Amino acid sequence: MTFIANFIIGFLAAFVGVIPPGLLNMSAAKISMKEGRKKGLLFSIGVCVTVMIQTYVALIFARFLDQHPEYVDFLQKVALGIFICITIYFLFIAKDTGRPIPQDMNRSKTNRFFAGMLLAVLNLLPLPYWVYISITFSGFGWFTFEQPGIWAAVLASGLGTFAMLIVYVQFFRRKEEKPRANLNMNYIIGFITAVISIITFVKILNDF
């Protein structure tokens, strides 16, 4: 039962986490439009491999925190400062992600599988995201850090990410002839981190 619960939480968390337009899903859509669906899927698979590795690392760290609650209070304060800085950066400093992808990237002959892996490495948000998700659901008794539950969540994170990337690939292939409004992903990330900052701040106050 815990295996199934971890799998469901892992899949849904990954699926929802990739919904906001960002570098990875927009790149997958762009590659599919310019180089074909096969290249887009290869890129997406590469992304998912890295995501699963990141998820595993995050869950191992989260398990350590779950077993050593004395560190949680300190890390909550550190996390609050980090999330506030990230919020300020993405809302006021970071460059607009709504700009089109450079054309030379579209013509690159780099193996799309490894390109997906490398590009996903640059996205470090899954690490704190999965630590937060796993510890939160563990507190409700819905998530376990025991094996094979961790592997279920890791596998589900890859499948959930791949499922949403497929949605982007298919949607943009159908809509490629229609104009689309540019969306600055930085505002979405900034909003998400702002919400997390508020939740963390309230929790710190309640524990004080």
Side-chain angles (χ1 to χ4, degrees):
M1 186 63 184
T2 56
F3 181 93
I4 297 176
N6 275 30
F7 186 89
I8 294 175
I9 292 174
F11 184 89
L12 292 178
F15 189 86
V16 171
V18 190
I19 289 178
L23 179 62
L24 298 179
N25 43 32
M26 296 302 291
S27 294
K30 195 78 170 182
I31 291 171
S32 178
M33 288 169 53
K34 300 298 182 180
E35 303 180 21
R37 184 171 178 269
K38 182 178 179 180
K39 291 290 183 66
L41 292 178
L42 278 175
F43 176 86
S44 300
I45 293 173
V47 169
C48 294
V49 170
T50 298
V51 167
M52 288 191 291
I53 295 174
Q54 291 174 326
T55 302
Y56 180 77
V57 172
L59 292 181
I60 294 300
F61 182 64
R63 182 174 64 182
F64 172 81
L65 293 180
D66 189 63
Q67 295 172 348
H68 299 81
E70 64 272 15
Y71 295 112
V72 174
D73 291 338
F74 171 74
L75 289 176
Q76 280 182 342
K77 296 180 177 64
V78 174
L80 176 61
I82 293 175
F83 280 122
I84 290 176
C85 292
I86 293 176
T87 300
I88 294 174
Y89 173 78
F90 280 108
L91 289 180
F92 304 107
I93 301 176
K95 296 181 179 180
D96 187 359
T97 61
R99 295 175 300 176
I101 298 175
Q103 293 300 315
D104 57 344
M105 177 180 176
N106 295 329
R107 294 193 296 266
S108 174
K109 301 302 182 182
T110 304
N111 185 296
R112 287 308 182 186
F113 174 79
F114 292 106
M117 290 186 64
L118 293 176
L119 195 60
V121 169
L122 301 178
N123 179 29
L124 298 179
L125 285 178
L127 295 174
Y129 177 75
W130 281 106
V131 170
Y132 182 82
I133 290 293
S134 59
I135 290 181
T136 299
F137 281 99
S138 175
F140 290 109
W142 300 344
F143 191 92
T144 177
F145 292 105
E146 301 297 328
Q147 298 290 5
I150 288 182
W151 289 112
V154 169
L155 176 62
S157 70
L159 294 177
T161 300
F162 187 68
M164 179 48 65
L165 290 178
I166 289 179
V167 172
Y168 267 85
V169 167
Q170 294 297 333
F171 176 81
F172 277 86
R173 281 179 63 82
R174 295 192 184 105
K175 303 295 184 181
E176 59 183 346
E177 299 300 330
K178 297 183 179 181
R180 294 183 297 275
N182 288 334
L183 178 62
N184 190 351
M185 178 58 183
N186 293 328
Y187 292 140
I188 297 178
I189 298 177
F191 175 77
I192 293 174
T193 54
V195 172
I196 295 176
S197 299
I198 294 173
I199 295 174
T200 304
F201 180 70
V202 172
K203 191 175 187 307
I204 291 175
L205 288 180
N206 291 335
D207 294 339
F208 185 72

